[in-house]
Amino acid sequence: MSSLPESGIYKKGSIDLYDALSTVLASQRGDSGIVLSYFGITKRSTNVRKLVIEAYKEYADMALRKICDEISRKYSLNLCRIFHLEGEFEPGEPIVSIIISSKSRAEALRAMPEIVERYKKEPTIWKKEIYDDGTSKWIRE
């Protein structure tokens, strides 16, 4: 990955979340004193075999970019990106990555929990749990 994509919803396999973090780390030129990353990983549950994630991409992209814009201004971040994948996921697979950088460690550490809480509520993203017995249920967090 030569340049960092915008925050948004991406089909599973179309973006490498770890590569995005490497790109950010490689691009640091002294403007930031901290780079924080958050990776949301599909949890293993007693009866959930698979997780399907779908999004209303147009609105979810706008919501994720809005979150980054607002949080960047509020906490003086140099960079804020939220990459959320959609598709089918097995336990242990990453589904979301948040990468932020800031001159101030304190500001970045305050910003990250707020970003996490907002990305879980604001974008139009749905999860479908597929259970071991073949049944399924759509959930919205």
Side-chain angles (χ1 to χ4, degrees):
M1 177 185 299
S2 56
S3 65
L4 196 62
E6 289 298 314
S7 293
I9 301 294
Y10 293 89
K11 294 280 185 201
K12 179 182 176 183
S14 69
I15 184 174
D16 184 321
L17 300 180
Y18 303 115
D19 193 29
L21 177 58
S22 294
T23 298
V24 171
L25 292 171
S27 70
Q28 295 306 300
R29 302 287 182 258
D31 293 335
S32 296
I34 185 170
V35 173
L36 288 180
S37 64
Y38 164 95
F39 287 85
I41 310 295
T42 309
K43 293 182 275 198
R44 182 171 309 282
S45 179
T46 33
N47 62 345
V48 177
R49 177 175 19 124
K50 187 184 324 187
L51 188 65
V52 176
I53 297 178
E54 292 184 6
Y56 191 149
K57 183 172 173 38
E58 180 181 345
Y59 289 109
D61 285 351
M62 286 190 305
L64 294 173
R65 291 175 187 153
K66 179 182 175 193
I67 292 166
C68 280
D69 288 345
E70 291 175 359
I71 298 292
S72 290
R73 281 193 303 276
K74 181 176 179 179
Y75 294 100
S76 301
L77 301 180
N78 294 335
L79 173 85
C80 179
R81 291 291 194 281
I82 305 169
F83 306 115
H84 203 300
L85 302 180
E86 64 178 349
E88 290 188 8
F89 299 88
E90 302 290 329
E93 289 187 286
I95 56 175
V96 64
S97 173
I98 301 170
I99 305 169
I100 63 174
S101 69
S102 176
K103 187 166 265 199
S104 166
R105 178 181 64 230
E107 291 292 286
L109 290 170
R110 280 195 291 274
M112 185 61 86
E114 189 171 333
I115 297 168
V116 170
E117 289 308 311
R118 288 186 63 183
Y119 103 75
K120 290 178 121 343
K121 295 176 185 166
E122 295 176 29
T124 49
I125 300 170
W126 298 273
K127 297 176 185 177
K128 180 180 181 180
E129 292 181 336
I130 300 175
Y131 304 107
D132 290 332
D133 65 3
T135 61
S136 62
K137 178 182 174 184
W138 284 99
I139 56 173
R140 174 87 164 106
E141 283 189 338

